[in-house]
């Protein structure tokens, strides 16, 4: 349970599955999350012998391999197969932060029910993360194969063509369980991002939107420079025709002098913004000096570009 701190009484109350560490102190596990979901849903807890029998066989969890060129944004799915039935999991996703920066995470359709959470949802400096934690639980067992979740990364400009960047997945015993609160084992396959040569095919794309300018509003004038510590409103001039069937979002990413991403903010590209010809994004205060700002327009929930990027 990311970002949640329990006092002693809350720990005792929340520990409905009665897990204890080696010192005899209660701790909150993924099984507690499943049991709490069952209690909240009015679930009649009865052991399913069919689920118990199926869960004797390991499920398969795999990180999909991807190709990317330096500076590209990519989406990496994590899939489940041979699914014997799971009701909750806690995974760690490791990566080399020198070359990959996590941007966002989204759950797959097969786990739309239940609680999905990650430390990427917390208000944190993504440049300080060295592992992504992912949690999910629900009341009943989910037995479908497919994508559990997808993580979006920025590939650094410092990578070399032919380089393989590992993206690994880890879990501890009891971090995966079924609706009987029985531990489910998993065969895990890590993935790789292979760096390929950039091609200029994308340069010929005709985009739907155009970012014309970006500036900081001051009392006296509009300026293209910005406070390096953040905490300001950035106005972005954008052009394009509104289409209700195309969900587009504008992303503003801040980088330090080494090119490492410090933060990313997004707003939906609404009809009001396109009619007005501009939208405002607030840049939060930053402990590290902001050296560069880049602006993107992507199709919502994807990294499909709908405009050429703009650098400030």
């Amino acid at each position: 349970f990311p970002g949640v701190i329990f006092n002693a009484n809350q720990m005792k109350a929340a520990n409905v599955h009665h897990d204890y560490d080696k010192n005899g102190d209660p701790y909150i596990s993924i099984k507690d999350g499943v049991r709490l979901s069952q209690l909240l849903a009015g679930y009649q807890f009865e052991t399913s012998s069919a689920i118990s029998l199926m869960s004797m066989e390991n499920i398969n969890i795999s990180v999909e391999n991807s190709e990317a060129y330096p500076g590209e944004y990519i989406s990496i799915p994590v899939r489940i197969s041979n699914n014997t039935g799971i009701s909750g999991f806690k995974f760690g996703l490791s990566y080399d932060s020198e070359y990959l920066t996590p941007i966002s995470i989204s759950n797959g359709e097969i786990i739309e029910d239940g609680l999905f959470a990650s430390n990427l949802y917390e208000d944190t400096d993504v440049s300080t993360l060295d592992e992504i934690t992912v949690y999910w639980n629900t009341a009943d067992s989910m037995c479908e194969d497919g994508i559990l979740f997808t993580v979006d990364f920025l590939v650094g400009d410092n990578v070399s063509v032919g380089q393989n960047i590992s993206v690994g997945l880890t879990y501890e015993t009891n971090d995966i369980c079924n609706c009987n609160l029985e531990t489910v084992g998993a065969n895990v396959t890590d993935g790789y991002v292979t760096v390929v040569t950039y091609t200029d095919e994308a340069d010929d794309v005709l985009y739907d939107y155009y970012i014309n300018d970006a500036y900081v509003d001051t009392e006296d004038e509009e300026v293209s420079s910005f406070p390096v510590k953040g905490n300001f409103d950035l106005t972005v001039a954008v052009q394009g025709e509104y289409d209700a069937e195309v969900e587009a979002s504008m992303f503003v990413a801040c980088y330090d002098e080494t090119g490492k991403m410090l933060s990313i903010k997004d707003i939906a590209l609404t009809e009001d913004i396109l009619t007005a010809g501009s939208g405002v994004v607030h840049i939060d205060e930053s402990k590290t000096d902001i050296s560069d700002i880049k602006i993107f327009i992507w199709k919502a929930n994807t990294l499909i570009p709908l405009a050429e990027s703009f650098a400030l």
Side-chain angles (χ1 to χ4, degrees):
F1 296 89
V4 179
I5 300 175
F6 296 94
N7 61 34
N9 289 332
Q10 289 171 328
M11 285 286 291
K12 183 177 181 181
N15 187 34
V16 294
H17 185 64
H18 305 300
D19 294 302
Y20 298 90
D21 61 21
K22 61 183 180 181
N23 298 319
D25 296 321
Y27 73 94
I28 308 303
S29 69
I30 199 68
K31 293 181 180 180
D32 290 304
V34 171
R35 190 68 185 105
L36 285 170
S37 293
Q38 293 173 342
L39 291 171
L40 291 172
Y43 187 88
Q44 298 298 315
F45 186 75
E46 295 181 3
T47 300
S48 168
S49 57
I51 290 292
S52 293
L53 184 62
M54 288 191 299
S55 294
M56 295 176 66
E57 185 175 353
N58 282 5
I59 61 175
N60 299 320
I61 306 291
S62 60
V63 181
E64 189 168 289
N65 294 326
S66 302
E67 291 186 346
Y69 54 79
E72 186 179 8
Y73 289 83
I74 58 170
S75 298
I76 300 180
V78 175
R79 299 179 180 272
I80 183 172
S81 60
N82 192 42
N83 185 5
T84 57
I86 61 172
S87 294
F89 61 70
K90 173 188 173 185
F91 293 131
L93 200 68
S94 61
Y95 55 92
D96 193 331
S97 59
E98 182 178 356
Y99 304 115
L100 296 176
T101 300
I103 304 300
S104 62
I105 186 170
S106 57
N107 61 280
E109 292 184 359
I110 63 174
I111 60 168
E112 284 185 341
D113 295 333
L115 171 67
F116 181 79
S118 169
N119 58 347
L120 279 183
Y121 286 160
E122 300 175 27
D123 185 15
T124 185
D125 183 348
V126 295
S127 67
T128 64
L129 292 180
D130 54 11
E131 184 181 68
I132 300 168
T133 51
V134 191
Y135 308 77
W136 171 77
N137 65 70
T138 191
D140 206 352
S141 282
M142 186 279 296
C143 299
E144 294 182 63
D145 291 347
I147 296 175
L148 290 175
F149 55 90
T150 300
V151 182
D152 298 328
F153 286 97
L154 167 64
V155 181
D157 292 322
N158 57 336
V159 296
S160 303
V161 173
Q163 181 177 354
N164 288 321
I165 308 168
S166 176
V167 180
L169 188 139
T170 59
Y171 75 99
E172 301 291 338
T173 304
N174 296 325
D175 279 351
I176 312 173
C177 72
N178 59 28
C179 63
N180 294 340
L181 307 185
E182 296 166 328
T183 298
V184 176
N187 302 315
V188 172
T189 302
D190 294 338
Y192 291 89
V193 178
T194 301
V195 182
V196 297
T197 303
Y198 174 78
T199 62
D200 60 3
E201 293 178 0
D203 295 340
D204 298 327
V205 174
L206 295 177
Y207 291 111
D208 297 322
Y209 306 97
Y210 297 91
I211 303 169
N212 297 321
D213 196 8
Y215 50 85
V216 179
D217 281 321
T218 67
E219 293 182 359
D220 302 319
E221 58 182 342
E222 300 171 355
V223 296
S224 57
S225 60
F226 51 84
V228 296
K229 292 298 184 182
N231 194 25
F232 60 88
D233 288 334
L234 183 69
T235 298
V236 181
V238 61
Q239 176 185 347
E241 294 292 330
Y242 177 73
D243 186 343
E245 295 183 359
V246 178
E247 295 184 32
S249 294
M250 181 163 59
F251 292 78
V252 179
C254 298
Y255 304 82
D256 67 11
E257 61 181 0
T258 69
K260 177 169 284 189
M261 181 179 289
L262 301 173
S263 64
I264 188 165
K265 298 289 289 291
D266 69 282
I267 60 171
L269 206 56
T270 63
E271 184 175 11
D272 288 343
I273 289 176
L274 289 171
T275 300
S278 64
V280 177
V281 179
H282 181 74
I283 305 302
D284 295 331
E285 185 175 353
S286 176
K287 295 180 181 178
T288 303
D289 285 1
I290 301 171
S291 179
D292 297 293
I293 295 177
K294 293 182 181 180
I295 305 166
F296 310 87
I297 296 178
W298 291 324
K299 188 174 181 180
N301 301 316
T302 75
L303 291 179
I304 299 174
L306 299 177
E308 187 174 348
S309 63
F310 183 92
L312 181 65

